[in-house]
Amino acid sequence: MGFAQAFLASARREAALLRQRPWDLAMISWVPLLAVALLWWTFSAGLPNRLPIGVIDDDHSALSRQLTRFLDATPGLQVSRAYGDPAAAAQALRRAEVYAVVSIPRDFARTVKLGRAAQLTLLHNAQLGTHSSLIQRDVRTAVGTLSAGAEISARTKRGEPALAARVNMEPVRVGMITLFNVSTNYEQFLAAALIPAVLHILAMTAGAWGVGRELRDRSIAEWLGAQPSWAATGGALLGKLLWPLLGLGCVAALALLWLTWGRGWHPPGSTGWVALALLVFLALSLAMGAAAAAGSRSLRTALSATGFVTAPAFAFGGVGFPLQSMPVLARAWAELLPYTHYIRLQMEQLQMGAPLRYSLPTLAGLALAAAALLLACVPLLRSAVARPQSWGGR
């Protein structure tokens, strides 16, 4: 049997198996679609806002009430409750009723009016890194606004012109220019990075399951034939992986189009290039799963390898934690994971608008890795067919 005949026969056989096994079909159709939809829904707000905080106001002055209003008016914060003592505030922090507490000391207004520095205290849970950093930023903004207003008012009362007072308040300024993701949109940042990570897990699982199932069910000879040639084995393998690639590829394309054009986001780079890279990345993931199953001849071992490789991929991808700050061994492991390279290409195009020549080596590397793994599967599968004693393992 030639390559084309083996490919078509295997694709037809796999389609029949998927019709008979609805849960196998679900794993490459509506389950990934549901997972992608849940991820998008989680981050659909784009920007975290109205994070609940508490206030301990021991001053009860007009200035302390003004500060409370400034905090509540900040889009990222919501003063949800005032506390009478630190113990109650600490309990609220532990129960996650609020994510931070601003403590305004007694004689706060009097200290400011005397021209001395008044000390506020921000209690926050730094274990919740995202919440903590956003709250710190917004509290500094609100306090800075109040502080600048109080200082300018004091200077103008002493006869200093308003313009000179503003200049003297901040003689040195820093101009910050945000190059990418100007609005700090978490949908464009986290959802766009997490969706390929989830599809990576599902794709490698599908590849391991498709090949490992044939060994578990002792049907590998029925799939490949008693003495398959190299061409027939390669064609049969591609025919089996065709449906997972089409199913997961369609989900990936829909997710990419919805996150970009569907949400009114027009990336500066090439969305088509990212779509092609995502399809190649999924093909590589399928090849990795198939190679794990063919090499181990055990469905259980192949699924374990899938979890070992794909589950930590996002953590090592350089999105949540910088690659440059990782220890040497962690950095080396990250560089071995295909997700690290794919997500770099995606950020180059969707966020940075990099020229395509910068992303071409990554795409070529992913494609070559996928082809090499698929080629490596062929002798492994032919060897497995010749050893019936290795069939039937879990």
Side-chain angles (χ1 to χ4, degrees), residues 12-379:
R12 284 194 295 266
R13 180 177 178 274
E14 189 68 18
L17 286 173
L18 290 174
R19 286 195 297 269
Q20 296 168 10
R21 303 175 180 184
W23 281 110
D24 286 14
L25 179 60
M27 291 302 295
I28 60 172
S29 56
W30 63 265
V31 168
L33 189 62
L34 178 61
V36 165
L38 285 174
L39 275 175
W40 165 76
W41 178 63
T42 301
F43 297 99
S44 59
L47 291 171
N49 52 42
R50 310 307 292 165
L51 296 173
I53 66 169
V55 172
I56 301 175
D57 187 358
D58 290 333
D59 192 48
H60 303 291
S61 64
L63 190 63
S64 66
R65 288 190 291 271
Q66 184 180 13
L67 174 59
T68 302
R69 289 194 297 270
F70 278 15
L71 291 169
D72 195 53
T74 304
L77 304 177
Q78 179 182 19
V79 179
S80 62
R81 187 171 174 183
Y83 296 96
D85 62 274
Q91 288 295 328
L93 280 170
R94 291 191 185 97
R95 292 193 297 264
E97 294 175 358
V98 294
Y99 294 123
V101 175
V102 177
S103 178
I104 305 173
R106 187 176 288 106
D107 296 330
F108 169 69
R110 182 171 176 273
T111 303
V112 171
K113 288 178 181 178
L114 291 175
R116 298 199 297 265
Q119 183 70 42
L120 297 172
T121 303
L122 173 64
L123 308 172
H124 60 96
N125 185 357
Q127 188 170 353
L128 303 174
T130 301
H131 306 64
S132 177
S133 61
L134 293 173
I135 288 172
Q136 289 181 67
R137 181 198 65 189
D138 288 343
V139 168
R140 286 195 191 99
T141 299
V143 172
T145 302
L146 180 72
S147 178
E151 180 65 18
I152 291 173
S153 176
R155 287 174 179 268
T156 54
K157 286 180 180 178
R158 292 196 296 266
E160 188 174 347
L163 180 59
R166 292 191 187 95
V167 173
N168 292 331
M169 272 293 299
E170 197 175 3
V172 178
R173 297 183 180 183
V174 176
M176 293 187 294
I177 301 174
T178 303
L179 298 178
F180 315 116
N181 197 7
V182 177
S183 62
T184 319
N185 189 309
Y186 278 75
E187 181 186 9
Q188 298 174 8
F189 165 57
L190 273 180
L194 282 168
I195 287 173
V198 170
L199 294 175
H200 177 40
I201 295 172
L202 293 172
M204 189 171 175
T205 302
W209 182 265
V211 174
R213 182 186 61 200
E214 301 289 355
L215 288 160
R216 182 199 64 183
D217 297 343
R218 306 180 66 88
S219 57
I220 186 169
E222 177 188 338
W223 169 42
L224 296 176
Q227 293 181 332
S229 65
W230 281 72
T233 304
L237 177 62
L238 292 181
K240 175 174 283 293
L241 300 181
L242 172 66
W243 301 114
L245 181 62
L246 289 177
L248 295 171
C250 287
V251 173
L254 287 173
L256 179 62
L257 291 175
W258 174 248
L259 281 174
T260 54
W261 300 339
R263 299 287 285 166
W265 173 31
H266 299 284
S270 172
T271 307
W273 193 257
V274 175
L276 176 61
L278 185 52
L279 186 65
V280 172
F281 174 56
L282 293 177
L284 173 57
S285 303
L286 287 166
M288 290 167 62
S296 66
R297 298 179 190 172
S298 166
L299 177 58
R300 180 183 299 160
T301 303
L303 293 177
S304 298
T306 295
F308 180 75
V309 171
T310 61
F314 178 81
F316 285 87
V319 178
F321 192 83
L323 285 175
Q324 291 78 4
S325 300
M326 292 181 183
V328 175
L329 292 178
R331 175 74 181 272
W333 173 245
E335 294 291 352
L336 289 173
L337 298 176
Y339 176 81
T340 303
H341 303 282
Y342 166 76
I343 202 62
R344 184 183 303 147
L345 181 150
Q346 178 177 291
M347 290 190 293
E348 286 172 355
Q349 294 302 315
L350 296 187
Q351 300 285 354
M352 303 177 186
L356 293 182
R357 66 178 181 272
Y358 288 105
S359 301
L360 179 59
T362 302
L363 179 59
L366 293 174
L368 286 174
L373 281 174
L374 290 171
L375 285 174
C377 284
V378 173

